[in-house]
Amino acid sequence: MRDTDLLQLALGLVPPWMVKATNFDAEARRLDIEIDFTKGGRFPCPHCAKTDCPVHDTAMQTWRHLDFFQHQAFLHARTPRITCPDCGVKQIAVPWARPGSGFTLLFEALAMTLMTAMPVAAAARLMGEHDTRMWRVLHHWVEQARERADYSEVRRVAIDETAAKRGHDYMSLFVDIDKRSVLFATEGRGAETIAKFADDLEAHNGHASNIKQVCIDMSAAFIKGVTDNLPEAEITFDKFHAVKLVNDAVDKVRRAESKGRPELKRTRYLWLKNEPSLSARGRRQLAALTTLHLKTARAYQIRLAFQEIRAGSANLNNALSGFSA
Ligand SMILES: [Zn+2]
């Protein structure tokens, strides 16, 4: 078997495509594979699938392929335009790459696998590529997947904001609670982001009125956005923000009461921390304070009850997801 035959098999090339020549340069750490089609080779029309169309002209192209061991590998081929009797001159697509890409499909598949597991810059370093080219690959396949995405079953959505860079450039993320997948992301964190989400939902076979439940933080902008754009949605606040609300309420009671009860001064964290994380001294102080008839102690009991309900519902959810899994 000649080395060109081996590569032809490994690349999965079928006639009229074949490996014409190879050049291996150990010093430059690269393998160049020249692909060509047999003389007089004919191709189907990419438009109407008419077979055996003759070649009109060709243009040289290069694609980076999967590394050959520690060496970078490149495919080179003249890609033809054919003349179809019905459609005229048409560019044909090569079987190893998508139109417009400088990479083979296999290279892109490996790149996508890496980029789902690590930051793009890290994947680019591993593959010895510029991250701008890697981003282009990522955008293409994500866009394609999103074009096909079907949101007709989406009913429950969680929305959260996150800073893309420290302290700047907010992003809003929309997640399907039932499928645990990201539906949509957009810049900003105002009510208008929810209008954009509603548009995107409609563009993917979904409906704003399908959304029955939305989980958000307590920002007025999100509440307004949901009320205006997702008319059927019942709003629930996510647990981190709910906990904060309850804690703030306990402290408000304490501060008001401490005006007449100086022993409550500087006890803020006693009421807000969980008991096991208090020091021995803190625990003794808390135990002493809870024996007094204080409004703060009553508020504290409500906070504990709230915490228990939350823990109970989390356990229940875990038990239920165990059944459905
Ligand atoms: Zn045609």
Side-chain angles (χ1 to χ4, degrees):
M1 185 186 270
R2 296 175 306 152
D3 61 342
T4 50
D5 292 341
L6 175 66
L7 286 169
Q8 192 157 314
L9 278 172
L11 289 167
L13 296 182
V14 291
W17 294 107
M18 52 153 191
V19 172
K20 187 176 160 193
T22 63
N23 181 38
F24 179 63
D25 186 337
E27 208 158 296
R29 288 176 153 242
R30 64 183 279 160
L31 171 68
D32 289 277
I33 303 171
E34 199 183 324
I35 296 173
D36 203 357
F37 52 90
T38 42
K39 201 157 187 284
R42 287 169 176 254
F43 296 87
C45 169
H47 249 239
C48 67
K50 191 181 220 28
T51 53
D52 291 334
C53 299
V55 171
H56 177 267
D57 59 3
T58 62
M60 269 318 276
Q61 268 186 278
T62 295
W63 300 266
R64 182 159 172 214
H65 190 47
L66 295 174
D67 284 0
F68 177 66
F69 299 98
Q70 68 272 43
H71 314 283
Q72 290 195 352
F74 296 88
L75 307 187
H76 309 273
R78 50 186 188 120
T79 55
R81 292 194 301 166
I82 50 96
T83 310
C84 170
D86 297 329
C87 315
V89 175
K90 293 284 166 206
Q91 178 73 55
I92 72 142
V94 295
W96 55 84
R98 64 184 169 86
S101 173
F103 301 120
T104 65
L105 288 168
L106 282 172
F107 183 97
E108 293 195 347
L110 177 60
M112 288 302 290
T113 306
L114 291 180
M115 287 187 286
T116 55
M118 62 185 74
V120 173
R125 262 197 309 281
L126 263 182
M127 298 192 82
E129 263 310 327
H130 293 291
D131 60 353
T132 48
R133 295 186 82 198
M134 299 282 277
W135 275 111
R136 226 172 284 145
V137 171
L138 184 71
H139 283 147
H140 170 82
W141 292 108
V142 169
E143 279 305 309
Q144 194 181 82
R146 264 187 50 77
E147 262 169 42
R148 283 197 310 259
D150 176 38
Y151 294 166
S152 59
E153 302 289 316
V154 178
R155 299 289 180 272
R156 302 196 302 152
V157 177
I159 309 172
D160 205 2
E161 60 179 50
T162 181
K165 289 180 197 135
R166 195 161 300 191
H168 297 283
D169 298 340
Y170 281 92
M171 300 276 305
S172 294
L173 293 175
F174 296 76
V175 175
D176 182 337
I177 293 174
D178 298 300
K179 286 199 176 154
R180 293 170 181 230
S181 60
V182 176
L183 296 165
F184 182 68
T186 187
E187 282 170 28
R189 53 172 170 169
E192 76 285 354
T193 62
I194 296 175
K196 285 186 199 162
F197 167 66
D199 288 345
D200 190 70
L201 201 60
E202 304 277 338
H204 291 95
N205 214 16
H207 297 289
S209 59
N210 279 350
I211 308 303
K212 303 298 180 202
Q213 210 181 60
V214 173
C215 181
I216 52 177
D217 69 17
M218 297 181 170
S219 85
F222 276 165
I223 296 170
K224 179 177 178 353
V226 171
T227 315
D228 290 353
N229 297 287
L230 304 171
E232 300 277 317
E234 183 188 68
I235 294 177
T236 54
F237 296 119
D238 70 54
K239 63 183 175 191
F240 301 104
H241 295 90
V243 168
K244 185 173 182 301
L245 191 77
V246 173
N247 284 349
D248 288 350
V250 171
D251 199 51
K252 202 171 160 190
V253 172
R254 182 196 63 84
R255 261 184 290 136
E257 197 175 25
S258 69
K259 289 184 182 116
R261 305 290 302 242
E263 64 268 48
L264 283 171
K265 294 246 159 79
R266 288 187 301 278
T267 62
R268 178 163 190 249
Y269 287 99
L270 287 181
W271 307 101
L272 300 185
K273 273 190 174 174
N274 290 322
E275 217 184 313
S277 58
L278 290 175
S279 66
R281 184 170 162 272
R283 268 200 292 273
R284 277 198 303 277
Q285 200 184 350
L286 182 66
L289 284 169
T290 47
T291 60
L292 307 173
H293 288 281
L294 293 168
K295 281 185 191 158
T296 307
R298 177 81 188 116
Y300 174 71
Q301 291 302 333
I302 293 170
R303 176 174 91 79
L304 293 183
F306 169 76
Q307 223 165 0
E308 252 166 62
I309 292 166
R310 256 190 59 223
S313 71
N315 289 340
L316 184 63
N317 278 338
N318 286 343
L320 288 175
S321 68
F323 275 115
S324 61

